[in-house]
Amino acid sequence: NAGVTQTPKFQVLKTGQSMTLQCAQDMNHNSMYWYRQDPGMGLRLIYYSASEGTTDKGEVPNGYNVSRLNKREFSLRLESAAPSQTSVYFCASSEERQGYEQFFGPGTRLTVL
Amino acid sequence: GENVEQHPSTLSVQEGDSAVIKCTYSDSASNYFPWYKQELGKRPQLIIDIRSNVGEKKDQRIAVTLNKTAKHFSLHITETQPEDSAVYFCAPKAAGNKLTFGGGTRVLVKP
């Protein structure tokens, strides 16, 4: 039981490049989330998916898109990376029927030059 | 949306002393109140949570208290140990399943 997994662990991009961050969970959770964490700060919600087939904007969605590919997988895409998107990105999942605890992946450290 | 503030932002305590972190929130519809711990370079993990129909909950050396009228809840750590050094986040939940994270409190336990 791997929980929540994320790839890649580290990534360096040049301004204007695109990339997709992958997230998968094996806990059969309905809800999945993408957060960003800037140095010394809390987590800010980018997008979330309450269930397969649905996605909604969070607090800081600009510059990002998401895809809930199936119940297990939720990807985050940066179409044209900017230095302001340098951050650590965390994926999380939860299941309302089991309480509201969110389980986090190990994070992706992204640097945009 | 929910406005969440944590105080203090940093807290330094001697090993064995107690630590208290307070979280205030704005949405009176909030009904779930968790605390997460994040060690350096690691992912956040839930350490304790409380529902709106309960005033206090304890788990060994940690406890959470809730004051719904005043819209704040607090994390209490007793007999602090070096492994308690971390960043702690409150994350109240209002409508739906979304949590709103506070800015974090960095706790340093000095031996």
Side-chain angles (χ1 to χ4, degrees), chain A residues 101-102 104, chain B residues 34-37 44-46 87-89 99 101:
Chain A
E101 177 179 1
Q102 292 189 9
F104 285 82
Chain B
W35 285 95
Y36 283 77
K37 176 182 180 181
Q45 290 189 295
L46 178 74
V87 180
Y88 293 82
F89 296 98
L99 305 179
F101 282 80

Side-chain angles (χ1 to χ4, degrees), chain A residues 4 31 33 35 37 40-43 45 48 50 57 90 94 96 99-102 104-106 109, chain B residues 31-32 36 38 41-46 49 51 89 93 96-104 106:
Chain A
V4 181
S31 300
Y33 313 83
Y35 294 92
Q37 184 175 35
M41 296 183 67
L43 293 97
L45 184 64
Y48 68 101
K57 294 179 180 179
F90 286 100
S94 71
E96 184 175 350
Y100 298 108
E101 177 179 1
Q102 292 189 9
F104 285 82
R109 187 173 296 273
Chain B
N31 58 9
Y32 172 70
Y36 283 77
Q38 186 178 29
K42 300 290 182 64
R43 72 192 80 184
Q45 290 189 295
L46 178 74
D49 57 11
R51 303 284 178 130
F89 296 98
K93 185 193 82 66
N97 293 340
K98 292 187 297 180
L99 305 179
T100 302
F101 282 80
R106 184 172 301 277

Side-chain angles (χ1 to χ4, degrees), chain B residues 63-101:
Chain B
V64 55
T65 57
L66 172 64
N67 185 328
K68 281 217 77 178
T69 303
K71 289 190 280 188
H72 65 75
F73 62 111
S74 297
L75 176 68
H76 305 256
I77 307 173
T78 58
E79 301 172 21
T80 53
Q81 300 171 4
E83 55 263 38
D84 295 327
S85 294
V87 180
Y88 293 82
F89 296 98
C90 64
K93 185 193 82 66
N97 293 340
K98 292 187 297 180
L99 305 179
T100 302
F101 282 80

Side-chain angles (χ1 to χ4, degrees), chain B residues 43-71:
Chain B
R43 72 192 80 184
Q45 290 189 295
L46 178 74
I47 55 171
I48 196 165
D49 57 11
I50 196 169
R51 303 284 178 130
S52 58
N53 58 346
V54 177
E56 181 176 358
K57 182 178 178 181
K58 288 184 180 179
D59 183 3
Q60 298 181 20
R61 294 186 300 106
I62 61 173
V64 55
T65 57
L66 172 64
N67 185 328
K68 281 217 77 178
T69 303
K71 289 190 280 188

Side-chain angles (χ1 to χ4, degrees), chain A residues 21-48:
Chain A
L21 282 65
Q22 307 286 354
C23 173
Q25 52 92 8
D26 63 1
M27 296 175 283
N28 201 35
H29 287 172
N30 273 306
S31 300
M32 297 186 73
Y33 313 83
W34 276 105
Y35 294 92
R36 61 177 288 173
Q37 184 175 35
D38 299 322
M41 296 183 67
L43 293 97
R44 291 185 292 171
L45 184 64
I46 305 171
Y47 271 92
Y48 68 101

Side-chain angles (χ1 to χ4, degrees), chain A residues 6-13 19 21 34 37-40 85-90 106-112, chain B residues 38-42:
Chain A
Q6 292 182 234
T7 56
K9 285 187 168 54
F10 301 93
Q11 184 70 49
V12 178
L13 294 178
M19 79 161 296
L21 282 65
W34 276 105
Q37 184 175 35
D38 299 322
Q85 294 179 304
T86 293
S87 190
V88 179
Y89 291 84
F90 286 100
T108 295
R109 187 173 296 273
L110 175 67
T111 301
V112 183
Chain B
Q38 186 178 29
E39 297 176 356
L40 190 62
K42 300 290 182 64

